[in-house]
Amino acid sequence: MSFDQSDVEKIAHLARLAVPDEEAKKLSGDLSRILDLVAQMEQVDTSAVEPMAHPLHMTQRLREDRVTEENHRELYQSIAPATENGLYLVPRVIE
Amino acid sequence: MHWETVIGLEIHAQLATKSKIFSGASTAYGAEPNTQACLVSLGMPGVLPVLNGEAVRMAIMFGTAIDAELGRRNVFARKNYFYPDLPKGYQISQFELPIVGPGHVDISVDGETRTIGVTRAHLEEDAGKSLHEDFHGMSGIDLNRAGTPLLEIVSEPDMRSAREAVAYARKIHQIVRYLGICDGNMQEGSFRCDANVSVRLKEHTEFGTRTELKNINSFRFLERAINYEVERQIDLIESGGKVVQETRLYDADKDETRSMRSKEEANDYRYFPDPDLLPVEISDTLIDEVKATLPEMPDVRRDRFESEFGLSGQDAESLTASREMADYFEVANGIAGDAKLTANWIMGELSAAMNREGRDIATSPVTAELLGGMVKRLADNTISGKIAKDVFEAMWNGEGSADDIIDAKGLRQITDTGAIEAIVDEVLAANPEQVENYRNAPDDKKGKMIGFFVGQVMKASKGKANPQQVNQLLGEKL
Amino acid sequence: MMHEKTITELAAGLQAREFTSVELTQHFLDRIGTLDEDLNSFITITPELALGEARAADARIASGDAGPLTGIPIAHKDIYCTSGVKTSCGSRMLHSFTAPYDAHVVSRLREAGAVMLGKTNMDEFAMGSTNESSFYGPVKNPWNRDRVPGGSSGGSAAAVAARLCAAATGTDTGGSIRQPASHCGITGLKPTYGRVSRYGMIAYASSLDQGGPMAKTAEDAAILLQAMAGFDERDSTCSETPVPDYTATLNDSVEGLKIGLPREFFDAGLDEGVRKSIEEAVDLYRSLGAEVREISLPNTGLAVASYYVVAPAECSSNLSRYDGVRFGHRCDDPRDLEDLYNRSRSEGFGAEVKRRIMIGTYVLSAGYYDAFYLKAQKIRHLISDDFRKAFAEVDVIMGPASPTTAVALGEMADDPVSMYLSDVYTVMTNMAGLPGISIPVAPVEGLPVGLQITGNYFDESRLLNIAHRFQQNSDWHKTMPEGV
């Protein structure tokens, strides 16, 4: 199965990864080989099989509706790259 | 060409839980930026979501109220995309298996009732907010709102006019407020309507290309936005163009819709079940509990107000517009014992006073108990209608209950025939000329002239004489 | 020597006041200072914190309030958030990240009185089987400095093997505790999925990740697991199954134990020397009264393929939060939002992580979900069924943890697919959510070999028991690499 140049671009964009041209070729080769490995899955017919999302047959536990968190903005923002007036800064978001 | 409009609405109702859907951070409105953004809200490495049971209960309440199939086994899924107000780079939502399945609501436009289908409703988390004020060319992100529970309610494309769309939106608004699951504040963003609009020629069965309208924060704007968009699409098609499937923002100042730049390239959300959460099972016990504690819904309550209290359809509709109003009426009427009178006072004086001061029924100084007490005194003739207005004003100003005020100001109506007669006699004696004029006047002028004597009697009795008796006695003596 | 003692022995020594926790801690810190420059098993060493914890432990011991782990110096894989301490996950992306909170596992071990020496090296974001993808450089196998220690918990494995700590924590998503334990000649346990809370354990693949102990002996691993296991309300996937006393049953007899050997694990792909060591180990169990039979896990051949769909898919989403906005690496002077994302992420992530994000994004993308992700989840079901049928016949399943001993540094670094294929024996356990342990058996040409034992759901007690019985009748776990 092949993962060509345009696949690389499209997927890289979805994943917000910049792939410089020098790397793109090797990357598409690696990914193609991985997809070949993955293609082994086709050896088995799973049309009658249910997917298994979780190993255990548990259902979601529900939490009580209570406020349990306090304000720790200073601590949490002490590790932030860019903040001002308590806000996280990012390049202008255009709507 | 005969065009038909097709509208579907997507409503995001912020659920009124105390804490967020997947964490114990507060959902209170108006806090300083990022002071209600806990580790989970911030998407810190290593943290995990835990589901708020109240959000589940509220969704079930909604599903029950719209007579919907419930998703007995529903699953949370990740909707993957990048945006600064989305800390994890994915939104936890529901995709293939939502908590509420197909249901319906009835709307009424121009006296005609129609049933509008609801395709589904699902739970998801809200994103944060981007503040576009200039921080040296940067935007500021506040994640207080990130993680607040939302119920996304999707209608079938059953609406055929902007008015129907508004009626539907108002209906859903009324339902969620009746259930107490959402405060429905469109300005604050706790009730958001997006409209999907398309047109087609009346004979056609296929749907035309639709556009999605966003940034609508009032019912009035909803109607305008849809109307503008319908016209735009028709004009476009009639002049040979094609409608592009896109998202458009409504601009309230210019009353037009505009295509959104940049944000909308076809987004591949790569939905898959969230592996940090397990399937949610809705038990029979939970469903029974919700059914048992569901409040009386607006339509049912309105019908009951008509049958039980003998109110007109219109009055019943007005009084049950909101649950608070309906509750107020029932409490007040329970004390007053006169439904029509109570209804009139609520829809008249009380509403006027609230409007004047920009208050709502929850912040009215005249509580249901106070109003009920006053209407009771009116109904039992202790005070006259005119006096009642003064009493109301006094209650509004915090001077106590109706009885307190009546006693304090000696406002009891004079109903003693003898006493009134005495005053009438005095007035007639004091105004011989007017009496003469009245007696000599033609019949059709008498109606107006008697008003003078009524006024004098009322003045002399400081407004306390019973008006009916005054009129009767004057009629006899003149 | 202190660093050769087991946790049980150290606890006794502390109790008898033969030495203090401060002395013990300093001893390990000194060893790290001397030996780790070469091994590179630690990313962060926390001497002041450690000595502070050691003093507190000594006070507890003096007041008679000590437990089996009080005062015992351990290391945490750098995937566990440690409050106020750098937590890098082996990545440039979190190079400057100081965790603002403690992982559940970290809190539990601290409450038990364990002393944290530092954070160990690992494959970047737990993706890898050789510990060569770390931003902080590869870890060397203490048994042979030209060899890899295994991965992704290579730092923890090497540190325990080199006696730089009494024990360490690791995580296992596709074999990342068991395989490095095998390559470094130590004991490593991956518990049942949901046995140990994942809160604070930086996520790679949410439905596969599980934290566990890495130690010199099964008994030590049992003591550590006792502190780590149990319900945590902050992790929705954490089980409420009661935690048994893991040390109480360590000495149970293995007479009549039914052992299954999957024929698929002993095919041509298995190195001859490794096969011999495994067979010898199984013979030891026979001599202790166990019954051995051949079983089949027919879908073994699909395990790696399906794992490398599920894990990348989940990781591609889990790693989206690394965007340079709230924490972690941010590129200089981003031109616009897209540039912020693209460059911060590309600069922050290494090659293997990027590959897996790309594969994961691809298999979830429109049009491919059914063919890949859904299909892989169905194969998961088949694999679980294979195990279920097997456990109807046998009590435990044994085999190698890895088809070979440790490969040379650099040998697999550029060949992802070969590296993936070497995970064949371990990934199935994660896909089914079962527990598995690796214990050292006879080495091959001086390189350690691990016997992998897989048990049924929540059967950690039995795994630890039979591992312990093996160690009572052999010495492999007592051997140390030269020069440490």
Side-chain angles (χ1 to χ4, degrees):
Chain A
M1 203 177 286
S2 86
F3 206 110
D4 63 29
Q5 205 80 336
S6 74
D7 286 325
V8 170
E9 271 171 37
K10 193 177 81 163
I11 297 298
H13 175 62
L14 279 178
R16 296 305 188 274
L17 293 173
V19 180
D21 294 330
E22 323 81 82
E23 277 180 40
K25 194 145 177 256
K26 176 166 195 303
L27 189 54
S28 85
D30 283 337
L31 297 175
S32 295
R33 275 186 289 283
I34 296 171
L35 285 183
D36 287 339
L37 162 66
V38 160
Q40 286 174 16
M41 289 199 302
E42 286 160 34
Q43 287 166 21
V44 70
D45 175 15
T46 52
S47 47
V49 182
E50 282 296 303
M52 184 178 112
H54 276 108
L56 305 172
H57 300 296
M58 282 164 42
T59 55
Q60 179 63 35
R61 193 175 2 103
L62 300 179
R63 221 188 76 232
E64 195 193 319
D65 183 26
R66 241 180 355 117
V67 174
T68 53
E69 297 295 329
E70 293 167 353
N71 174 22
H72 293 295
R73 185 174 82 185
E74 221 182 285
L75 169 64
Y76 298 158
Q77 291 194 345
S78 67
I79 54 170
T83 59
E84 192 168 313
N85 297 343
L87 296 161
Y88 290 97
L89 294 185
V90 296
R92 264 336 273 288
V93 171
I94 305 164
E95 288 253 284
Chain B
M1 300 209 243
H2 290 301
W3 291 100
E4 180 174 65
T5 306
V6 175
I7 303 161
L9 289 189
E10 270 170 37
I11 292 172
H12 287 86
Q14 224 174 54
L15 296 179
T17 54
K18 297 198 269 288
S19 60
K20 294 187 179 180
I21 189 172
F22 295 117
S23 77
S26 168
T27 54
Y29 186 82
E32 282 295 298
N34 292 305
T35 53
Q36 285 173 188
C38 66
L39 294 168
V40 174
S41 310
L42 293 169
M44 280 283 171
V47 296
L48 299 166
V50 188
L51 181 59
N52 186 333
E54 188 61 17
V56 172
R57 210 179 64 87
M58 288 181 170
I60 301 291
M61 286 172 77
F62 180 79
T64 308
I66 64 164
D67 202 22
E69 288 170 32
L70 296 173
R72 298 298 298 263
R73 185 173 170 278
N74 58 89
V75 172
F76 282 99
R78 294 188 184 179
K79 180 180 182 182
N80 296 280
Y81 65 96
F82 285 88
Y83 207 64
D85 65 6
L86 194 69
K88 296 187 293 298
Y90 59 86
Q91 177 196 32
I92 302 179
S93 178
Q94 296 190 301
F95 186 56
E96 285 176 347
L97 296 173
I99 189 167
V100 173
H104 59 90
V105 294
D106 288 339
I107 59 167
S108 182
V109 177
D110 294 332
E112 273 191 39
T113 306
R114 275 199 68 205
T115 300
I116 305 292
V118 174
T119 315
R120 56 183 270 159
H122 68 256
L123 287 170
E124 59 184 28
E125 55 177 353
D126 207 350
K129 278 197 184 137
S130 307
L131 276 74
H132 303 303
E133 288 129 44
D134 212 335
F135 292 95
H136 350 280
M138 312 271 267
S139 292
I141 308 293
D142 175 14
L143 295 171
N144 279 349
R145 200 182 66 175
T148 306
L150 295 177
L151 187 66
E152 178 173 333
I153 304 161
V154 182
S155 82
E156 290 286 325
D158 285 350
M159 289 152 275
R160 296 288 173 267
S161 72
R163 291 186 62 215
E164 282 189 355
V166 171
Y168 169 83
R170 283 191 183 281
K171 194 66 193 217
I172 299 290
H173 187 261
Q174 185 187 45
I175 290 173
V176 301
R177 292 203 58 231
Y178 253 73
L179 292 171
I181 64 176
C182 172
D183 68 16
N185 189 324
M186 286 176 87
Q187 275 66 40
E188 280 178 9
S190 65
F191 190 84
R192 300 168 220 160
C193 296
D194 296 335
N196 289 311
V197 180
S198 68
V199 297
R200 65 182 175 190
L201 291 170
K202 274 215 150 72
E203 322 75 80
H204 286 189
T205 48
E206 276 162 31
F207 290 136
T209 309
R210 66 170 202 258
T211 59
E212 188 182 10
L213 307 182
K214 283 183 176 296
N215 195 41
I216 298 164
N217 53 24
S218 78
F219 294 121
R220 203 169 93 249
F221 291 154
L222 178 62
E223 189 165 348
R224 285 209 205 150
I226 294 173
N227 284 329
Y228 174 88
E229 181 60 15
V230 165
E231 240 187 83
R232 185 192 75 85
Q233 288 191 13
I234 291 173
D235 285 346
L236 182 59
I237 299 172
E238 284 183 343
S239 59
K242 268 206 185 135
V243 174
V244 171
Q245 182 170 344
E246 60 182 351
T247 302
R248 299 178 68 86
L249 291 183
Y250 177 67
D251 183 333
D253 297 326
K254 296 188 182 154
D255 189 27
E256 63 181 26
T257 66
R258 268 197 329 271
S259 180
M260 271 179 87
R261 285 174 291 135
S262 77
K263 187 179 179 186
E264 285 307 297
E265 337 130 304
N267 248 317
D268 182 354
Y269 294 121
R270 290 158 277 132
Y271 283 100
F272 72 104
D274 193 326
D276 288 329
L277 293 164
L278 299 168
V280 182
E281 294 252 330
I282 307 297
S283 65
D284 286 336
T285 318
L286 177 58
I287 295 177
D288 290 340
E289 195 198 295
V290 164
K291 282 206 169 104
T293 54
L294 212 65
E296 193 179 17
M297 294 312 287
D299 293 352
V300 175
R301 203 162 187 184
R302 178 201 62 211
D303 292 345
R304 182 169 66 82
F305 274 23
E306 275 189 63
S307 58
E308 190 178 320
F309 299 117
L311 292 170
S312 70
Q314 202 177 25
D315 284 356
E317 184 89 29
S318 296
L319 289 173
T320 55
S322 80
R323 187 175 165 189
E324 291 79 15
M325 179 77 95
D327 289 346
Y328 187 103
F329 167 79
E330 292 210 57
V331 170
N333 184 48
I335 297 170
D338 185 329
K340 183 67 188 155
L341 205 51
T342 307
N344 286 346
W345 272 89
I346 292 173
M347 295 183 301
E349 287 291 316
L350 181 68
S351 293
M354 290 194 299
N355 281 338
R356 254 193 323 268
E357 287 191 22
R359 286 177 182 274
D360 59 29
I361 209 134
T363 57
S364 160
V366 174
T367 62
E369 289 80 3
L370 286 176
L371 188 75
M374 188 203 79
V375 173
K376 184 171 179 189
R377 290 296 166 242
L378 187 54
D380 67 19
N381 265 322
T382 304
I383 54 174
S384 67
K386 191 171 177 302
I387 295 291
K389 287 196 164 118
D390 296 336
V391 173
F392 180 88
E393 203 185 307
M395 288 196 306
W396 187 272
N397 293 331
E399 290 176 37
S401 71
D403 283 348
D404 294 340
I405 294 162
I406 290 168
D407 286 340
K409 299 191 181 191
L411 297 175
R412 278 177 190 282
Q413 193 166 223
I414 301 171
T415 51
D416 181 297
T417 314
I420 298 178
E421 200 172 347
I423 301 172
V424 167
D425 287 341
E426 268 179 45
V427 164
L428 292 181
N431 297 282
E433 245 183 75
Q434 283 84 342
V435 172
E436 192 64 33
N437 289 343
Y438 178 83
R439 286 188 175 138
N440 293 334
D443 277 349
D444 57 345
K445 294 247 194 294
K446 278 193 158 82
K448 224 174 149 198
M449 292 171 77
I450 207 167
F452 167 75
F453 298 104
V454 172
Q456 290 298 304
V457 171
M458 292 312 263
K459 198 165 133 192
S461 71
K462 294 197 182 55
K464 290 186 287 190
N466 178 290
Q468 287 93 318
Q469 285 167 287
V470 169
N471 270 291
Q472 196 190 0
L473 286 166
L474 280 171
E476 286 168 12
K477 289 176 187 271
L478 279 169
Chain C
M1 303 235 64
M2 278 199 285
H3 53 269
E4 290 176 72
K5 290 182 192 293
T6 65
I7 291 177
T8 310
E9 288 162 352
L10 288 174
L14 287 166
Q15 197 66 243
R17 311 287 192 270
E18 281 165 31
F19 44 84
T20 62
S21 175
V22 169
E23 285 164 350
L24 184 58
T25 301
Q26 190 60 59
H27 178 69
F28 279 115
L29 288 169
D30 292 340
R31 285 181 63 75
I32 294 168
T34 314
L35 296 163
D36 204 49
E37 176 114 14
D38 185 37
L39 292 173
N40 199 29
S41 66
F42 278 83
I43 291 175
T44 302
I45 303 156
T46 51
E48 275 168 38
L49 272 176
L51 290 167
E53 286 175 352
R55 280 191 289 275
D58 282 331
R60 271 175 78 174
I61 294 166
S63 70
D65 176 37
L69 281 168
T70 311
I72 305 295
I74 63 167
H76 283 299
K77 182 174 181 181
D78 209 12
I79 198 170
Y80 289 100
C81 285
T82 41
S83 186
V85 173
K86 169 171 165 160
T87 302
S88 75
C89 231
S91 180
R92 184 180 179 197
M93 183 59 85
L94 293 178
H95 178 57
S96 56
F97 178 69
T98 302
Y101 73 105
D102 274 334
H104 181 79
V105 159
V106 171
S107 302
R108 294 287 292 260
L109 286 165
R110 180 177 307 110
E111 274 156 32
V115 171
M116 180 176 85
L117 294 164
K119 311 295 290 299
T120 58
N121 205 343
M122 53 181 282
D123 273 306
E124 190 183 357
F125 280 102
M127 300 180 209
S129 312
T130 61
N131 216 135
E132 292 177 289
S133 68
S134 169
F135 177 62
Y136 300 94
V139 174
K140 291 187 188 159
N141 191 321
W143 293 86
N144 182 326
R145 309 296 165 102
D146 294 326
R147 302 266 166 170
V148 303
S152 62
S153 311
S156 285
V160 173
R163 285 26 181 186
L164 302 184
C165 55
T169 55
T171 63
D172 190 312
T173 306
S176 293
I177 284 178
R178 292 161 287 153
Q179 184 249 39
S182 169
H183 284 348
C184 288
I186 64 162
T187 299
L189 172 80
K190 177 199 100 64
T192 308
Y193 183 84
R195 177 76 288 179
V196 174
S197 167
R198 291 186 298 115
Y199 184 79
M201 208 176 94
I202 296 176
Y204 156 27
S206 315
S207 73
L208 301 165
D209 292 345
Q210 191 59 194
M214 301 179 77
K216 295 192 290 291
T217 68
E219 186 177 18
D220 283 0
I223 294 169
L224 232 67
L225 184 65
Q226 197 73 51
M228 293 168 78
F231 180 65
D232 175 14
E233 62 180 13
R234 297 171 297 185
D235 175 1
S236 293
T237 61
C238 197
S239 172
E240 290 181 71
T241 304
V243 180
D245 181 345
Y246 294 119
T247 54
T249 46
L250 285 173
N251 288 300
D252 285 359
S253 163
V254 299
E255 182 88 36
L257 177 74
K258 297 210 260 308
I259 297 170
L261 301 180
R263 73 172 73 99
E264 293 84 4
F265 282 26
F266 292 88
D267 66 2
L270 178 59
D271 174 85
E272 208 32 58
V274 173
R275 176 202 298 270
K276 272 191 68 197
S277 293
I278 299 298
E279 284 172 352
E280 259 175 47
V282 173
D283 278 339
L284 196 155
Y285 278 106
R286 279 195 181 91
S287 74
L288 293 175
E291 294 165 30
V292 182
R293 70 183 78 167
E294 190 186 75
I295 58 165
S296 175
L297 295 173
N299 290 289
T300 300
L302 299 169
V304 173
S306 53
Y307 171 85
Y308 278 100
V309 167
V310 174
E314 293 182 6
C315 100
S316 71
S317 180
N318 283 331
L319 268 60
S320 292
R321 67 191 64 200
Y322 303 105
D323 57 10
V325 176
R326 299 163 313 289
F327 48 79
H329 178 75
R330 180 175 176 122
C331 62
D332 290 331
D333 305 315
R335 285 189 311 272
D336 54 34
L337 197 58
E338 289 304 300
D339 189 42
L340 172 72
Y341 290 147
N342 290 333
R343 259 197 307 137
S344 300
R345 289 167 62 76
S346 302
E347 288 170 9
F349 294 136
E352 184 59 34
V353 168
K354 282 185 189 147
R355 275 192 286 266
R356 298 202 194 187
I357 291 176
M358 294 284 284
I359 289 290
T361 305
Y362 182 81
V363 302
L364 288 174
S365 65
Y368 294 125
Y369 178 82
D370 283 5
F372 290 117
Y373 191 75
L374 205 57
K375 177 122 189 154
Q377 296 285 50
K378 292 182 175 193
I379 289 176
R380 220 173 154 168
H381 200 155
L382 293 177
I383 291 173
S384 300
D385 285 347
D386 282 358
F387 278 111
R388 201 171 30 82
K389 292 183 193 127
F391 284 122
E393 289 175 43
V394 301
D395 300 318
V396 292
I397 295 168
M398 290 191 187
S402 170
T404 65
T405 53
V407 298
L409 283 160
E411 187 177 317
M412 269 180 177
D414 249 353
D415 188 1
V417 175
S418 293
M419 191 172 71
Y420 299 168
L421 289 168
S422 71
D423 291 335
V424 59
Y425 302 134
T426 47
V427 294
M428 296 172 70
T429 319
N430 301 84
M431 292 290 264
L434 294 165
I437 191 170
S438 176
I439 55 173
V441 296
V444 173
E445 288 165 20
L447 289 171
V449 173
L451 170 73
Q452 187 189 189
I453 312 169
T454 305
N456 212 339
Y457 297 104
F458 296 105
D459 210 9
E460 288 83 3
S461 288
R462 186 182 339 236
L463 292 179
L464 290 161
N465 153 232
I466 65 183
H468 180 70
R469 294 292 288 133
F470 186 92
Q471 290 174 351
Q472 284 175 319
N473 290 280
S474 62
D475 284 334
W476 303 117
H477 60 288
K478 291 185 183 156
T479 60
M480 265 175 33
E482 276 175 32
V484 297

